[in-house]
Amino acid sequence: MEAEGRVPGPPPLPPAGGGSGSGSGIGIGAGAELPASPPGAARVPLLGAPAEVLELDDEEDDLEVFSKDTSLAEANSFSPSVTISPSSMINQYKFEDEPELRDLFITVDDPESHITAIETFITYRVITKTSRGEFDSCEYEVRRRYQDFLWLKSKLEEAHPTLIIPPLPEKFIMKGMVERFSDEFIETRRKALHKFLNRIADHPTLTFNEDFKIFLTAQAWELSSHKKQGPGLLSRMGQTVRAVASSVRGGVKNRPEMFTEMNDYMETFSQKINVLDKIAHRIYKEEREYFNEMKEYGPIHTLWSASEEDIADSLKGVASCIDKCCKATEKRMAGLSENLLPILHEYVLYSEILMGVLKRRDHIQSELDSKIDALANKKADKDLFSEEIGKLEDKVECANNALKADWDRWKQNMQCDMRSAFGNMADNNLHYYEECLATWESFLASQTVDRHGEEDSEDRP
Amino acid sequence: MYAIIARAVHFRSRIQGCLSSKGPGGRPALNGLGAPEPASAPARREAAEPLIPMESSEAEPSESRPEEDGAAPCSEPQPPDTMEDCLAKKMEITVSEAEKRTGRNAMNMQETYTAYLIETRAVESQNEGQCSPVDSLWRRYSEFELLRNYLLVTYPHIVVPPLPEKRADFVWHKLSADNMDPDFVERRRIGLENFLLRVASHPVLCQDKIFYSFLTQEGGWKEMVNETGFQLKADSRLKALNATFRVKNPDKRFTELKHYSDELQSVISHLLRVRARVADRLYGVYKVHGNYGRVFSEWSAIEKEMGDGLQSAGHHMDVYAASIDDILEEEEHYADQLKEYLFYAEALRAVCRKHELMQYDLEMAAQDLTSKKQQCEELATGTMRTFSLKGMTSKLFGQETPEQREAKIKVLEEQIQEGEEQLKSKNLEGRDFVKSAWADIERFKEQKNRDLKEALISYAVMQISMCKKGIQVWTNAKECFSKM
């Protein structure tokens, strides 16, 4: 029979028409953005034709970074401040250091809006609890705005050009739809800022940085006066620009093998993490659409039951099952947006940071290399040059060692974070299916009981 | 494929199971009594006729089927069979194949259509290993439509089983709206088989000769149907869905039933529409996970320690993404079950309308008779109780002659006589119709409750299976992730 001979695998999906309703359709458009992988490279696709898999659109590039779904955002931003105990802070983020060894606990909360003549901005409360000797007090509370975090980050980069400074949440979202001060945006940013500070606190070197300490402890006026010292932001930006430029100009001649490997790794990692980020967002979006449809699906059965007699109970049972599954879907989505999405996004940012770190290292090395070249050409001022070169050689060696150590640490953290994030996602899905299973099984049991009940009553005269 | 075969099998066994009059609901089905034999119903119910089990060891002409003794859905002990005359008991009927054909239509233009192979085989009772030959013939959808129209006109008091949809409706993006799409054709094949089985198991319809010829006589069937002249009998008013008749005394039950059928139609189509959208979204969720598979695999190439975990997790993501296809295919068959009752609602409404029409004609005839009687009386007594133009003009322009009046009275009296007889027979017809139609409606109600309840249960079973698959995949994936 012809139907039996049919090959599983429908014809390629047509570009999304009006039916799906959402702008970014399910299309086979975006081959360009996905890295070309030779067919045999990783593994053979085990099931189905590639056409079965929904490709990601070009439009995903512009997809807003955090999905705007205010109905599902937990604890909206302007919630009253909650004193967070150290132990719960430990549980929030898994760090490689033993929890008992931590002596610095930081929380970021309580966003507040400030309106002045020139601008409106948000400040966040930063609470620090510590037992370290170098801190005068064991508890501090300050308010900081996003600009202050930016300042801190650039100071850290300046002091440690080849260390991996944790990512800050983006300045603002490009795609117009998300309001700069929407509750959800603020909450997401708050969480990311919290993570930023805690990652620094956990870093063996950065945690002792002086600017970091000032950031955590100084009152507002102290901080602004401190900021005014030292080279301005522009000069620091210039550094990175020069670094980028020099590496663009053709790479570094004597780059050690290890860093070339790192570079190659980061290029691929960066690609992959970006795609994963898009996939996760796309899944969230599809789940949300599914949730929206399910909300309508259950009540129809209840409506139907109103015109029936015999099957009214069965219909109501189905309606209730569908509603419960609907709620379970909501939970699943919340889990995704609380865990997986923020972590994937953080590592998207990390991949950019790491590329920058590698370039800065290259730049430092190229300074050395060019001095050596200059020495080779000019025989004069040999001694002066040798001294400079000696210093530069030290600088390069320092930079390389710092990066190597930090790289190893970063990789370990990344592995840990990914394991937990994806493990958590799997858990979420497991719970979802377990909940739905229980619901439907109990419905089925009730129906079978009814059946047997009816038969019994029929047999009785 | 397995899901489709299983579904077809389930349909069949469901219907066959309900031939034994005790369905899962435990209530004996009232057999369609047909107009002439109301009194014999109780007697029939007591008739003892052993069930005829089908031998599953017999060679099957097409895909495997379970016992067709109704054991599948109804596992309780069977009471005496009361439908021994039913065709479906004596004959195995399947629509086993579908084939694309090209031919020339009535306007000599080339057209493509699908033909369906109907196979029939007489059932041998109590003989083991005896295999009767299979008869087969090809029919196309339009012939099924012709058959159904014939049945509708010939048995207006019966809720005639519906045909599967002519065009694909309630599609979501993966389903094709194309009539030539193999999935659509396959589901239609099952629907047509279901239609034939429903007719064959209907106590009245199964005895129809045209139906029997449809199944067994390849050539000349169309001519045979047309020769019955059923098209002439068809009341065009029945087709005018929106026309209302001012009926003064309809049977209240039919009015209620009409409302019910409207509600049923509206709620089922709403349900099907939303279900299609839900299916679409579910498809999206599953399929996007497939992307994880590919990316994990590519990522694993650059990782040393994480590589294995990623790779194997990716495999499970692929499994997850692929699993939705079978799940949704099975759900389409659930949707088809609901669709059948969506279309049944129309058949119900047709019966109600027929009643309305008959009642309307009856009331009109009674009204006409009354007015004629009045006219007669006026002419006879010379009084004019009601205003009539004729009366006025004759008053104004002079009376008519006594001979003329006599002639008129005589004509009227004849008409009155005729009218009274007609009225009597119409009344009788009407009462018979109500009785037999209501009997079939009761039968239909039981069938509907059984079928829908089972459909809902099967839906729950499908959901459970989907959840179990999900649990398995994500448990495996979780383990892989933990090894990263």
Side-chain angles (χ1 to χ4, degrees), chain B residues 333-391:
Chain B
H333 294 283
Y334 166 71
D336 284 342
Q337 285 177 273
L338 293 185
K339 261 183 232 173
E340 195 193 11
Y341 278 93
L342 176 68
F343 303 143
Y344 254 127
E346 271 178 52
L348 265 184
R349 201 189 301 125
V351 175
C352 295
R353 267 185 102 57
K354 178 68 181 173
H355 162 74
E356 258 177 31
L357 270 181
M358 290 180 83
Q359 189 67 13
Y360 177 74
D361 283 347
L362 183 68
E363 286 174 8
M364 288 290 111
Q367 207 178 312
D368 189 56
L369 187 64
T370 312
S371 97
K372 282 206 164 71
K373 282 187 177 165
Q374 238 169 27
Q375 273 186 302
C376 203
E377 195 195 313
E378 281 166 23
L379 280 179
T381 61
T383 59
M384 202 173 72
R385 247 183 283 143
T386 56
F387 175 80
S388 84
L389 196 56
K390 200 118 190 276

Side-chain angles (χ1 to χ4, degrees), chain B residues 11-212:
Chain B
F11 264 25
R12 229 197 318 272
S13 56
R14 207 161 37 90
I15 292 166
Q16 299 287 6
C18 304
L19 292 182
S20 61
S21 58
K22 189 169 189 179
R27 269 157 287 167
L30 277 181
N31 298 310
L33 299 173
E37 293 174 80
S40 60
R44 261 198 178 184
R45 224 176 290 163
E46 293 344 301
E49 175 84 358
L51 264 187
I52 305 166
M54 313 294 147
E55 299 299 318
S56 60
S57 57
E58 291 169 12
E60 305 287 66
S62 56
E63 72 268 22
S64 60
R65 298 187 284 269
E67 258 88 278
E68 294 191 0
D69 57 357
C74 327
S75 47
E76 60 273 27
Q78 308 292 359
D81 182 18
T82 61
M83 302 180 44
E84 64 272 21
D85 288 345
C86 186
L87 183 62
K89 280 266 151 230
K90 300 193 226 169
M91 186 191 246
E92 268 174 34
I93 306 170
T94 57
V95 177
S96 53
E97 282 178 41
E99 208 175 78
K100 213 150 99 170
R101 300 260 178 94
T102 45
R104 296 216 167 262
N105 65 6
M107 291 172 287
N108 207 31
M109 293 188 338
Q110 196 175 49
E111 56 167 1
T112 321
Y113 63 91
T114 312
Y116 299 88
L117 183 66
I118 302 178
E119 289 182 329
T120 51
R121 181 164 59 132
V123 165
E124 296 300 320
S125 56
Q126 291 142 359
N127 289 330
E128 293 195 6
Q130 233 192 45
C131 196
S132 29
V134 175
D135 285 326
S136 66
L137 46 75
W138 292 89
R139 293 264 183 236
R140 53 186 293 191
Y141 188 84
S142 56
E143 292 174 277
F144 280 85
E145 277 183 310
L146 185 58
L147 170 66
R148 185 164 190 269
N149 288 336
Y150 161 80
L151 290 173
L152 277 172
V153 171
T154 316
Y155 302 92
H157 59 289
I158 300 287
V159 183
V160 177
L163 283 172
E165 53 194 355
K166 199 174 171 92
R167 261 160 268 289
D169 204 353
F170 305 110
V171 289
W172 48 284
H173 94 270
K174 193 203 166 197
L175 288 191
S176 168
D178 175 19
N179 278 8
M180 289 290 150
D181 179 77
D183 283 340
F184 177 76
V185 168
E186 173 59 18
R187 292 199 346 263
R188 187 190 253 194
R189 181 193 67 75
I190 295 174
L192 290 175
E193 185 179 275
N194 187 49
F195 166 75
L196 292 179
L197 288 173
R198 289 244 191 242
V199 176
S201 47
H202 190 286
V204 173
L205 298 179
C206 71
Q207 303 183 39
D208 187 275
K209 297 283 178 293
I210 297 285
F211 174 60
Y212 187 77

Side-chain angles (χ1 to χ4, degrees), chain A residues 29-277:
Chain A
E33 71 173 358
L34 300 169
S37 53
R43 75 202 152 90
V44 178
L46 286 154
L47 287 146
E52 291 271 23
V53 164
L54 289 178
E55 301 290 340
L56 303 172
D57 260 359
D58 283 330
E59 283 177 26
E60 307 275 359
D61 276 342
D62 295 330
L63 190 70
E64 61 193 25
V65 174
F66 299 109
S67 41
K68 173 185 163 71
D69 192 334
T70 50
S71 68
L72 295 172
E74 42 93 38
N76 280 324
S77 59
F78 293 93
S79 51
S81 57
V82 176
T83 329
I84 303 180
S85 72
S87 51
S88 71
M89 280 191 278
I90 292 169
N91 291 333
Q92 275 189 42
Y93 303 103
K94 296 191 182 71
F95 290 95
E96 96 236 41
D97 298 336
E98 298 292 317
E100 302 87 60
L101 297 179
R102 286 189 80 200
D103 55 4
L104 187 67
F105 299 96
I106 308 172
T107 59
V108 176
D109 62 9
D110 190 29
E112 242 175 43
S113 187
H114 296 258
I115 306 174
T116 71
I118 354 170
E119 56 175 349
T120 312
F121 59 91
I122 309 258
T123 63
Y124 301 84
R125 183 173 71 168
V126 179
I127 298 181
T128 308
K129 293 187 177 134
T130 178
S131 56
R132 284 193 197 160
E134 53 268 37
F135 285 80
D136 293 334
S137 166
C138 57
E139 185 162 338
Y140 292 88
E141 180 177 321
V142 296
R143 294 209 75 95
R144 297 284 179 253
R145 57 184 290 190
Y146 184 75
Q147 258 179 32
D148 301 329
F149 286 83
L150 274 177
W151 168 86
L152 174 61
K153 181 164 160 86
S154 64
K155 292 297 281 181
L156 292 174
E157 279 173 352
E158 182 196 339
H160 309 278
T162 58
L163 284 189
I164 302 168
I165 314 296
L168 267 182
E170 279 99 331
K171 223 166 148 62
F172 52 83
I173 309 301
M174 296 305 294
K175 191 126 190 200
M177 290 232 302
V178 180
E179 249 196 64
R180 217 169 112 226
F181 296 121
S182 82
D183 283 358
E184 201 197 326
F185 174 80
I186 290 169
E187 174 59 14
T188 313
R189 182 179 262 197
R190 182 200 68 76
K191 283 200 247 189
L193 293 174
H194 176 104
K195 200 147 199 209
F196 171 74
L197 291 179
N198 276 284
R199 284 212 190 267
I200 297 174
D202 256 22
H203 193 288
T205 310
L206 296 176
T207 191
F208 298 111
N209 180 283
E210 189 59 28
D211 290 313
F212 181 50
K213 176 158 170 271
I214 292 175
F215 177 93
L216 291 176
T217 59
Q219 288 309 306
W221 61 269
E222 289 174 326
L223 184 63
S224 5
S225 84
H226 175 81
K227 275 183 179 185
K228 291 193 176 101
Q229 309 161 12
L233 228 101
L234 286 173
S235 75
R236 280 190 289 276
M237 273 166 55
Q239 248 182 29
T240 316
V241 168
R242 278 197 301 278
V244 171
S246 70
S247 61
V248 164
R249 238 182 284 127
V252 175
K253 290 171 289 185
N254 302 319
R255 185 198 282 158
E257 180 69 25
M258 166 172 47
F259 297 110
T260 306
E261 279 173 14
M262 255 186 230
N263 224 302
D264 292 341
Y265 174 90
M266 275 323 297
E267 266 179 28
T268 309
F269 179 85
S270 175
Q271 277 177 348
K272 300 310 156 196
I273 201 70
N274 271 284
V275 176
L276 283 173
D277 183 56

Side-chain angles (χ1 to χ4, degrees), chain A residues 1-3 6 20 37 42-43 46 52 54 265 272 293 296-297 307-308 415 419 427 433 458, chain B residues 1 96 183 260 263 277 281 286-287 291 293 297-298 303 305 315 318 320 448 478 481 484:
Chain A
M1 182 172 74
E2 63 187 29
R6 185 167 61 95
S20 303
S37 53
R43 75 202 152 90
L46 286 154
E52 291 271 23
L54 289 178
Y265 174 90
K272 300 310 156 196
E293 300 295 352
E296 204 184 324
Y297 193 36
S307 23
E308 297 287 345
Q415 193 170 336
R419 188 189 316 136
D427 244 349
Y433 281 112
E458 280 296 320
Chain B
M1 281 321 101
S96 53
D183 283 340
Y260 169 75
E263 277 169 17
R277 295 204 301 256
R281 290 304 167 189
Y286 272 74
K287 285 302 178 188
N291 286 294
S297 165
E298 290 163 1
E303 297 290 344
E305 288 146 22
H315 160 63
D318 282 338
Y320 183 65
K448 172 207 78 165
K478 183 174 168 182
F481 288 135
M484 265 168 42

